[in-house]
Each structure stands twice: as structure tokens, then as C-alpha cells.
Amino acid sequence: MVEITRIDELIKTIMSSALLDRNHAVTILLKIRNPIEIKEFFFQAIKSGDFDLQFLGLSLAENLLEDNHIETAVLSLIFLNSLLFQGNISLANNAKKLQDSFFRNTSLVDQYKKNCLLKAWQKVPGADRMNFVRIIRVFKYQTLVSILVEGLSSKDENLVLETIETLIVLNDTRGNRALRALLIHKEVKLVAKAIEALGHLGNVFDLYRSYHLLKHSHLEVKQKAIRTFRLINPKIAIFIFKNIYNESTFELKKIIISETAEIKNTRSLKLLLNWLDNEKDKNIQTTLEWSIYNLATRKKIKTLISVFQKAKDQTKFKIINMMADFQDHKCQQHYLKILNENYPIFLKLAVLGPLAAHKGKKVNSILNHYANRYNDILGLTAFDSMLRLDNQIALSITLDFIQKDIPLESSHHLLLLQYIKSTKDFSSDGKIIQEYLLKILQEAPYDAKFMALSAIRTHHSTAIFNYLLKIYKEQVFKSYQDGIKNSVIDILNYFPFYLTVQVMHEEDITIIEKIDFYQCRHQLLVYLIKLSSSFDSGHRLPQLLNLKSKAITHRLNIMIQYNQVNLEDGLQMVSYLLQNSMPIHFENIKLIKDNYYSLLELEEKRTYLEMTIKGGVVEEFDFISNEIFSFKDEDLNRKYYQWINDKV
């Protein structure tokens, strides 16, 4: 092996193709502790740009940082710092991790690590110190802040920005003089960052030093300045915001509003409300409303009510909406005052909904008083508000209204019908609701009748159903036909028993022809099949089922195949298919044999066997053979043997 004594020879051997020599050189390298040789190797590794050499440098630096020797540790930190600027992401990441591990190592004394960092700082140029600034910030080395201040005068913009961020994080004011000097810098990013820092580190005099920045040409600088004013002194900030708001641009107004809303006191709330009262831009108005809504302060309700008295009507309306989410007794008193005094009708309307949320006998009595006014919008709104209360109150209002002789032209009926439509169960009062709906159908104007058609899908009776059948084809109800049809079919899908034998004899059942037998529920289809047996073949119902046989066959087969019915209804379906010689899907042959065959009538069994033979279902050969012989039917035997011969 070659005896290696000098660094350049060592590097030459590491770069050679002789494996044993190369491995020996690496071993020697990792054991080097002479600062002069270490410095030379790190220099050559960086200068060459060679990945392998730099990677070996990482390993050497890792060993040296564990040795607790300040001179070699400093050289290692400088080398690792240099790798950050070599362009190789992998090496840079590993170098940063190695540095952080060193400063995170709790077995090393903090003062030792700080001394290493300070000496490394002094040996690298200003532009290369950015990572060291990061380390001071991350590990909170407050005692090293003094060396950062000189970085604020650097020509490297990124280094200055990193330094300012570190001062903010460490909350250290020693750089404030340099920060103030940056307020007139030509670089926008530096000015913005400096004013941001003074917001955390400055004093009230910095407000006056930076006031000129409100007229800066860049919005970012203005934004940072406005935030700084708020952070340093909220009281003075409110005064400044008030003076500059009206002359500000759209974008700046939104920034001012946002910062004002962060000052959570009565003065800021009043200022926001004042702007809202005078602002003409709709978008800014929306921003103000949200800011006021989200601003939390102990005296918010009191302030809103106070400003309400002098505000414009449109602002009053918005304040009412803002108060709607508060269950405060002062809100209730304010709503009652608006109702009782000479305020515009639209403000009275606005308070009825929020007032209803304040439950109690007094509120209910007042709302009821207005709800009984059937000829104006105020009464209608009060009635609507009461229907939105808890179910017990709404039900009481409903029953009370129904028992009064209110003209059917009143819009109150439309609101009540909407409530009835959305309420599924009226329990013991269901009959009263049904009688009311029938009255609406018989006597009310068009709009009410149309809405009642939706409500009766949930709340119906025999009288309502028969009335719908009766009016379906009447000329006067022609415009309602679709609504009547949809309601009747929807009811029948769940309550088919309304179609009695008597109804089928006495009423025109044309509407039943509109049933979609491909989609109808099985309860309706089974009921119609059973009902049809009560009539002779000349009646309209058997004729209709025969006419719709294709759809019925498809639907019955699907319901049998997917087992969507109970045994009784399933047997009814199978019997109907067999009695009318309707096709049975191949998938249902075995299912019928297993579940229904033993329950079928003799003639139905015979039809089933014929269909199975005709369909050529080989899988059921044994079953068919046994059943055929038990029947002793010549015609069936003949068909069976013909089937056997065809298969052979």
C-alpha cells in the first residue's frame, strides 16, 4: 500500500481506482484531527465540487463535532455551511441536519456551542451567515443577538430579512435603531419587514416615524404599517384609522377594517358601525358587516343599540340582523321598542323573526297579537315566525287558526299549508288537519289548492282521496291534473287500500292508468292484483292489468328475484304470473321451486312445470321428472318426453 502523509496525496488516492488503497485512505481521513490538515481537506472538497469528497467531508465533520474540540468543531460548522451553497440538495439537507444535531445535543454545554457558532460567524463572509442567523433564531441564543445587528446593514437582502425575522422571534429590541433606518430603504421587502418588526419591538414614537409609510406606493408596506400601528398602540391606531379611512383605496379600506376589528373594544366597534353607516361600496359594506359580526367585546349589544338610534334606516336593518344571534334580554327589549314606536314597517318586519327566538309568554302574546292581523304583511310575518317556534307552540297556533273563519284568500293559509307539508305527524289532531286540507281543495284559490296537493301526500284520508278521484277529469280542475295525479299515485304507493271495490265501481279510475308499473311499490301492485280478482274480465281494472302485462311481468320478476317481498305477497305474485301464463325469468325458476312451489294450487304447479319444460331448464331435470310422474297428466307427459328427445 502507498504510505500517505499529505492531504493532496490522500485525496488523489481516494479518487483512484485501487479499492484497497482507496479504503485505506478513507480510514486515515476519518481519523485526521490536525486542524491544518482538516482545513485543507475541507477547502479541497469544496473547491473540487466532487460529490464523493464532499460526502466524506460530511462524515469527517460528524466525527469532529462529537470530539468536543472547539477549533475542529468551528472548521466543521464552516464546511457544513459551505455545503448549503453548492447546489446539491441532498448534501445541503444532510449538512443542515448535522448542524442542528450539534446544537440540539444536550450533552454539550450551551456556552461551548455558542462559542463555536460565534467563531464560525467571524470566519465566514456576511452573505454566507444566513444559516447561522437561522440557528440563533431556532435555538433562541439571545446572548448572540448583538452580532446580528451588524447584519441589518448588509447588502444581501435575504440576510437582512432573515435577521429581522430572528429579532422578531427573539423579541429583542437591540436592532431597533437599524430597523428605523430601513424605513427609508429603496427595497420594498426590507421596508415592509422593518415596519412589521417595529410592530412587535417598537414604541409609540415609531408610529410618528412610520406615518409617512401610509402614502407608500406599495400596498404591502401600507398593510404592514397599519398593522404596526394597531400592535403598538390601539388607541392611537383608531384615531389614525379614522382620519385616513375616507381617503383610502378599496384595498386599503379592507385592510384598515380588518385591523380595526382586531381591536376588541367599544371604540373600534363604534368606528366600524360609523363606517358602515356612511359607506357606499357594497363590497366594503359586506366586509364591514362581517367584521362587526365577528368582533367580540363585552358591551357589544349595548353599543349596537346605542348606535342604532342615530343610524340610517339601512344600517338599522343590518344591526337588527347582527343582533339576531344573541339571546340577550336587552335585544328583546330593543325589538319590542321598534314594534311599539314609529319605525318604518321593514324594520318592524325584521325584528319579528329574532323576537320569536326569545321564548316566553310575553313574546308569544305579542307575536300572537300581530299574527291575528290577516290583511297586512306584518301579520303574515308574525304568523310565519310563530310557526317556526317549537312544535308545541306551532301546533297550538295551527289548530287555533283552523278553527277560525279566516277568509281563504288570506296568505296566512299558504304559510300554514307549508308548515303542514313539512310536518309529518299531527298525532291525535290529524283528522282536523285532513278536514282543513279537504276544505282548501274544495273552496280555496288556486295557489292554496296547489300547495294543498303537496301536503295531502303526507296527510290524507278516504274523503280526500275520493275527492281527488272525483275532480281529476273535471274541466275546472284541468290545470291541477298533474298535481292531482302525482298526489294520488304517491298516496296509493303507500296506502293502496283507499281503492276499495266500492270506489272502483263508483268512481272514474282513469287516473290509475298513469301508474308506472315498472317502478311502483310492491304493496300497490300486489293490492291491485288481489283487487282485480273481485271483478269479471270486462271490468276496467283487469283490462288495465292485462294491458300493462309487459311492465307488470318485468316488475313482478324483479321483486321476486331480489326477494323484496314477504312470503304471502311473493306467493300472490307467483300465482298471478302462472295464472296468466306470464313469462318467468330464468333466475326465478329455482327460486320459485324452493320457496313457493309447495304452496301453489295444482293448476299453478302444472303451469310452472310447463314453463320449466318450455324454458329447457336442464338444472331442474330430477325435480321435473318426479313431479311429472306424480301428475299422471298425458299432455304434460307428452311435452316432457318431447323435451327429453330434443335434449338428446
Side-chain angles (χ1 to χ4, degrees):
M1 292 186 182
V2 179
E3 187 65 31
I4 303 171
T5 55
R6 299 177 63 241
I7 290 298
D8 55 349
E9 292 178 354
L10 185 65
I11 293 174
K12 185 177 179 181
T13 305
I14 290 173
M15 303 295 289
S16 73
S17 58
L19 182 60
L20 292 177
D21 289 345
R22 190 166 69 242
N23 290 342
H24 180 60
V26 169
T27 302
I28 294 174
L29 172 67
L30 297 179
K31 292 180 180 180
I32 289 177
R33 292 299 181 269
N34 185 317
I36 296 175
E37 291 183 322
I38 292 170
K39 183 177 181 181
E40 177 64 18
F41 176 78
F42 284 156
F43 174 77
Q44 294 290 351
I46 293 296
K47 182 180 178 181
S48 68
D50 183 79
F51 177 85
D52 292 334
L53 283 181
Q54 292 178 354
F55 189 80
L56 282 173
L58 275 174
S59 299
L60 176 59
E62 184 175 10
N63 291 343
L64 296 173
L65 290 174
E66 293 174 355
D67 287 347
N68 204 12
H69 187 278
I70 191 166
E71 189 173 359
T72 55
V74 169
L75 290 172
S76 298
L77 290 175
I78 295 172
F79 170 71
L80 294 173
N81 194 66
S82 299
L83 289 180
L84 300 177
F85 307 100
Q86 294 300 299
N88 188 296
I89 296 176
S90 174
L91 287 172
N93 288 337
N94 283 319
K96 186 177 287 188
K97 287 179 183 177
L98 199 52
Q99 282 184 329
D100 288 354
S101 296
F102 172 73
F103 290 103
R104 197 178 288 115
N105 188 348
T106 55
S107 65
L108 299 175
V109 179
D110 264 1
Q111 190 56 48
Y112 166 73
K113 291 184 282 188
K114 291 177 185 177
N115 287 339
C116 289
L117 182 59
L118 182 59
K119 288 182 178 296
W121 174 283
Q122 293 167 346
K123 292 180 185 242
V124 298
D128 293 346
R129 293 173 175 171
M130 194 158 63
N131 186 54
F132 292 155
V133 175
R134 179 191 67 83
I135 291 171
I136 293 173
R137 179 175 71 250
V138 171
F139 296 97
K140 300 192 181 335
Y141 290 153
Q142 200 86 30
T143 56
L144 297 182
V145 168
S146 57
I147 68 173
L148 293 177
V149 177
E150 63 181 271
L152 292 175
S153 59
S154 171
K155 293 182 180 180
D156 187 283
E157 183 178 324
N158 292 327
L159 177 62
V160 177
L161 292 173
E162 191 79 15
T163 301
I164 296 174
E165 181 63 25
T166 301
L167 291 172
I168 294 173
V169 172
L170 297 180
N171 195 31
D172 199 295
T173 61
R174 280 176 280 181
N176 281 16
R177 180 175 294 182
L179 290 173
R180 290 163 187 145
L182 288 173
L183 295 180
I184 57 173
H185 201 281
K186 63 179 181 180
E187 291 294 336
V188 174
K189 286 185 178 180
L190 294 182
V191 177
K193 195 66 179 177
I195 189 61
E196 177 189 347
L198 288 173
H200 298 278
L201 308 173
N203 55 46
V204 68
F205 296 105
D206 289 312
L207 296 180
Y208 304 105
R209 293 188 183 99
S210 55
Y211 190 84
H212 69 282
L213 295 178
L214 292 173
K215 297 183 179 180
H216 199 279
S217 57
H218 284 78
L219 183 64
E220 181 187 4
V221 173
K222 295 177 187 177
Q223 180 180 8
K224 301 288 187 182
I226 289 170
R227 180 163 298 171
T228 290
F229 295 164
R230 192 256 301 172
L231 290 173
I232 290 178
N233 193 308
K235 289 184 179 180
I236 295 177
I238 287 178
F239 176 77
I240 293 173
F241 296 164
K242 184 177 180 181
N243 286 337
I244 67 173
Y245 178 83
N246 289 332
E247 304 302 321
S248 298
T249 62
F250 175 86
E251 292 81 3
L252 196 58
K253 277 186 176 182
K254 296 185 78 170
I255 294 169
I256 295 171
I257 292 167
S258 176
E259 293 301 324
T260 304
E262 291 295 323
I263 305 172
K264 304 186 185 305
N265 60 33
T266 302
R267 289 183 64 199
S268 63
L269 179 57
K270 284 184 176 180
L271 183 57
L272 290 169
L273 287 165
N274 178 263
W275 288 338
L276 178 63
D277 201 35
N278 294 287
E279 182 59 61
K280 296 180 181 179
D281 188 290
K282 298 294 182 183
N283 291 322
I284 296 294
Q285 286 179 9
T286 301
T287 302
L288 282 163
E289 286 180 61
W290 276 109
S291 297
I292 295 168
Y293 181 84
N294 291 318
L295 192 152
T297 176
R298 284 188 307 166
K299 298 181 179 180
K300 186 168 186 177
I301 299 300
K302 186 177 179 180
T303 305
L304 288 172
I305 293 173
S306 171
V307 173
F308 181 91
Q309 308 304 328
K310 298 179 181 179
K312 298 171 184 173
D313 286 345
Q314 286 298 115
T315 306
K316 288 177 179 175
F317 179 79
K318 292 172 181 176
I319 290 175
I320 291 171
N321 288 334
M322 293 174 194
M323 295 172 64
D325 285 343
F326 296 95
Q327 296 294 312
D328 191 288
H329 184 65
K330 291 191 288 291
C331 294
Q332 180 181 322
Q333 290 179 321
H334 185 59
Y335 299 150
L336 294 176
K337 181 180 179 182
I338 293 171
L339 285 174
N340 294 327
E341 295 184 3
N342 188 28
Y343 282 96
I345 186 69
F346 78 95
L347 293 180
K348 293 178 183 285
L349 291 172
V351 302
L352 286 173
L355 180 61
H358 293 258
K359 299 177 182 179
K361 291 183 179 180
K362 183 178 181 180
V363 170
N364 291 344
S365 174
I366 292 168
L367 288 174
N368 198 41
H369 166 73
Y370 282 99
N372 286 320
R373 294 165 57 169
Y374 301 116
N375 297 317
D376 64 31
I377 187 66
L378 202 59
L380 190 66
T381 305
F383 187 64
D384 183 46
S385 297
M386 296 199 75
L387 289 176
R388 296 176 187 273
L389 296 175
D390 62 71
N391 291 337
Q392 198 59 41
I393 295 176
L395 177 60
S396 175
I397 295 298
T398 298
L399 297 176
D400 181 62
F401 179 84
I402 287 175
Q403 291 168 8
K404 293 178 181 178
D405 190 21
I406 310 302
L408 294 176
E409 293 75 18
S410 172
S411 296
H412 281 61
H413 288 285
L414 296 178
L415 289 175
L416 186 59
L417 288 167
Q418 182 65 38
Y419 168 70
I420 292 172
K421 176 185 173 183
S422 62
T423 305
K424 292 185 178 180
D425 185 17
F426 284 96
S427 301
S428 58
D429 300 302
K431 187 174 180 180
I432 297 174
I433 300 299
Q434 293 162 8
E435 290 173 351
Y436 170 71
L437 291 174
L438 182 59
K439 182 180 180 181
I440 293 293
L441 286 172
Q442 292 172 337
E443 304 174 20
Y446 178 88
D447 289 347
K449 284 182 178 178
F450 194 79
M451 190 167 288
L453 285 173
S454 295
I456 62 174
R457 296 186 185 190
T458 308
H459 310 287
H460 41 74
S461 64
T462 300
I464 289 175
F465 182 80
N466 291 342
Y467 182 73
L468 292 176
L469 290 181
K470 180 180 178 181
I471 66 174
Y472 176 62
K473 295 199 72 175
E474 292 184 10
Q475 187 64 27
V476 70
F477 291 100
K478 189 172 182 180
S479 57
Y480 298 93
Q481 276 190 352
D482 282 342
I484 296 172
K485 176 197 73 176
N486 292 335
S487 295
V488 167
I489 293 176
D490 197 54
I491 292 170
L492 284 177
N493 264 305
Y494 293 90
F495 303 91
F497 54 79
Y498 282 133
L499 279 176
T500 62
V501 173
Q502 182 180 355
V503 169
M504 299 297 287
H505 278 301
E506 295 178 357
E507 303 292 348
D508 185 345
I509 61 166
T510 309
I511 196 170
I512 299 176
E513 297 176 1
K514 305 299 182 182
I515 295 173
D516 181 1
F517 286 99
Y518 281 104
Q519 300 291 334
C520 69
R521 290 173 62 84
H522 80 270
Q523 292 96 329
L524 174 57
L525 186 50
V526 171
Y527 183 83
L528 290 175
I529 289 171
K530 290 179 180 178
L531 191 62
S532 68
S533 63
S534 304
F535 304 99
D536 57 44
S537 59
H539 189 271
R540 187 75 187 103
L541 180 57
Q543 289 179 350
L544 173 64
L545 296 183
N546 185 56
L547 185 66
K548 302 288 186 178
S549 61
K550 183 178 179 182
I552 292 173
T553 299
H554 174 80
R555 187 67 178 141
L556 290 176
N557 272 285
I558 291 296
M559 287 190 284
I560 293 169
Q561 179 181 344
Y562 292 103
N563 198 24
Q564 297 176 347
V565 294
N566 57 38
L567 183 63
E568 181 183 354
D569 288 348
L571 181 60
Q572 185 74 42
M573 294 177 180
V574 172
S575 297
Y576 185 79
L577 286 170
L578 294 171
Q579 289 169 11
N580 292 277
S581 300
M582 293 177 167
I584 296 175
H585 291 181
F586 176 82
E587 296 85 353
N588 287 336
I589 294 293
K590 186 177 186 307
L591 192 149
I592 291 174
K593 182 203 76 174
D594 293 341
N595 297 337
Y596 301 105
Y597 184 81
S598 62
L599 303 174
L600 295 173
E601 299 292 336
L602 191 63
E603 190 59 33
E604 293 170 351
K605 288 182 177 179
R606 187 183 188 284
T607 304
Y608 171 78
L609 292 171
E610 280 190 358
M611 286 185 173
T612 308
I613 291 171
K614 187 176 180 181
V617 184
V618 180
E619 291 81 354
E620 304 299 332
F621 176 81
D622 291 338
F623 169 75
I624 295 171
S625 298
N626 292 333
E627 289 298 309
I628 291 292
F629 289 123
S630 68
F631 260 86
K632 298 179 181 179
D633 183 297
E634 290 185 8
D635 184 53
L636 199 56
N637 277 328
R638 181 179 54 77
K639 291 178 179 177
Y640 170 69
Y641 284 113
Q642 180 63 45
W643 175 58
I644 295 295
N645 290 331
D646 290 343
K647 291 297 175 185
V648 172

